[in-house]
Amino acid sequence: MKVLVAVKRVVDYNVKVRVKADNSGVDLANVKMSMNPFCEIAVEEAVRLKEKGVATEIVVVSIGPTTAQEQLRTALALGADRAILVESAEELTSLAVAKLLKAVVDKEQPQLVILGKQAIDSDNNQTGQMLAALTGYGQGTFASKVEVSGDKVAVTREIDGGAQTVSLKLPAIVTTDLRLNEPRYASLPNIMKAKKKPLEVLTPDALGVSTASTNKTVKVEAPAARSAGIKVKSVAELVEKLKNEAKVI
């Protein structure tokens, strides 16, 4: 079984994000970039499926600038077999990414596609669902457990009321949640081996996909700074401040 895993290059989660002076976007100059944490979980789950003998090949794909090869090499070091980079310097919408992934799915014909449920930069939580709609595949979102049996996959998904298990017929789309697994670290020998694994570079034009967007970012600004908290001496004083200062009651 072939598994396709989508990964995204994002600002490292330990970095404090800065907004550009002209409010046109996030300042990425000299900023550490990493693989999206939810994508790390997706890669780990694919590797575990291969270790169980369920998956025979893992293909990782990323859409972004040339520098995204770094994150693909990381995925290869973690256990993926080969990589595909759809090179684009544009700021792509979730729909454009889903269309590009659909073209890659048509090209590779995987039985299972695993994505992180969302990226920590845009926080849209849309690409997996859009890809499922475009391909017509069944989808299991927010997965906390994935079990493949024959031509079906059982996905336990996190919902507001607890957990829900859905059975999907392969091929299918799965998006990962935090509780699915704990990603491993790449060993030095595997990092060296990853440098020799195949990495194919494509373009949106080569895939026949238009990435033109109808959305335009008007302004990006940092959240307002929080004011310092205060201590109150009594419940009466707390109620008074909530009523007259915070105006929440």
Side-chain angles (χ1 to χ4, degrees):
M1 183 176 81
K2 182 189 291 187
V3 179
L4 183 74
V5 183
V7 301
K8 186 177 183 182
R9 177 183 172 87
V10 299
V11 176
D12 189 88
Y13 68 92
N14 288 311
V15 173
K16 182 176 176 58
V17 175
R18 302 188 308 273
V19 176
K20 291 180 180 178
D22 61 358
N23 294 107
S24 62
V26 174
D27 187 1
L28 299 179
N30 301 314
V31 172
K32 181 183 178 184
M33 306 293 284
S34 300
M35 188 190 302
N36 178 48
F38 289 102
C39 298
E40 290 181 346
I41 295 171
V43 173
E44 174 66 24
E45 191 62 23
V47 173
R48 292 188 183 191
L49 288 173
K50 188 175 182 182
E51 289 173 343
K52 291 176 184 176
V54 175
T56 54
E57 184 183 24
I58 301 170
V59 182
V60 288
V61 57
S62 188
I63 299 166
T66 305
T67 47
Q69 290 190 26
E70 179 186 350
Q71 282 64 48
L72 288 173
R73 291 293 179 193
T74 298
L76 292 171
L78 291 170
D81 298 296
R82 57 188 176 89
I84 299 172
L85 173 63
V86 181
E87 197 170 45
S88 175
E90 299 177 40
E91 187 176 337
L92 301 175
T93 63
S94 299
L95 181 57
V97 171
K99 287 179 177 179
L100 289 168
L101 289 176
K102 200 265 185 184
V104 175
V105 168
D106 290 343
K107 177 177 179 290
E108 292 291 332
Q109 294 293 307
Q111 284 71 54
L112 184 63
V113 183
I114 310 179
L115 309 89
K117 72 170 185 177
Q118 65 195 77
I120 61 171
D121 53 359
S122 57
D123 243 10
N124 287 332
N125 180 19
Q126 295 176 326
T127 304
Q129 292 89 327
M130 288 177 170
L131 179 59
L134 292 171
T135 57
Y137 294 173
Q139 60 177 311
T141 55
F142 319 129
S144 60
K145 188 176 182 182
V146 176
E147 293 180 307
V148 178
S149 178
D151 65 344
K152 292 186 178 180
V153 55
V155 179
T156 302
R157 52 192 304 270
E158 307 223 353
I159 59 174
D160 290 342
Q164 176 191 65
T165 301
V166 294
S167 178
L168 310 173
K169 187 174 182 180
L170 297 175
I173 311 287
V174 172
T175 70
T176 62
D177 215 329
L178 286 171
R179 293 178 182 83
L180 181 57
N181 60 51
E182 183 72 30
R184 69 191 69 189
Y185 291 99
S187 65
L188 184 58
N190 286 339
I191 292 172
M192 301 306 292
K193 290 177 185 176
K195 293 179 180 180
K196 297 181 180 179
K197 290 184 178 180
L199 193 159
E200 182 181 5
V201 179
L202 302 172
T203 63
D205 289 341
L207 292 171
V209 177
S210 171
T211 57
S213 175
T214 55
N215 294 345
K216 180 182 178 182
T217 301
V218 177
K219 185 179 181 182
V220 176
E221 56 186 2
R226 287 186 178 183
S227 57
I230 60 171
K231 290 184 178 181
V232 295
K233 296 179 180 178
S234 66
V235 174
E237 185 183 355
L238 172 63
V239 172
E240 187 273 331
K241 288 187 178 296
L242 289 174
K243 187 174 182 179
N244 299 320
E245 292 184 18
K247 300 186 184 301
V248 294
I249 60 174

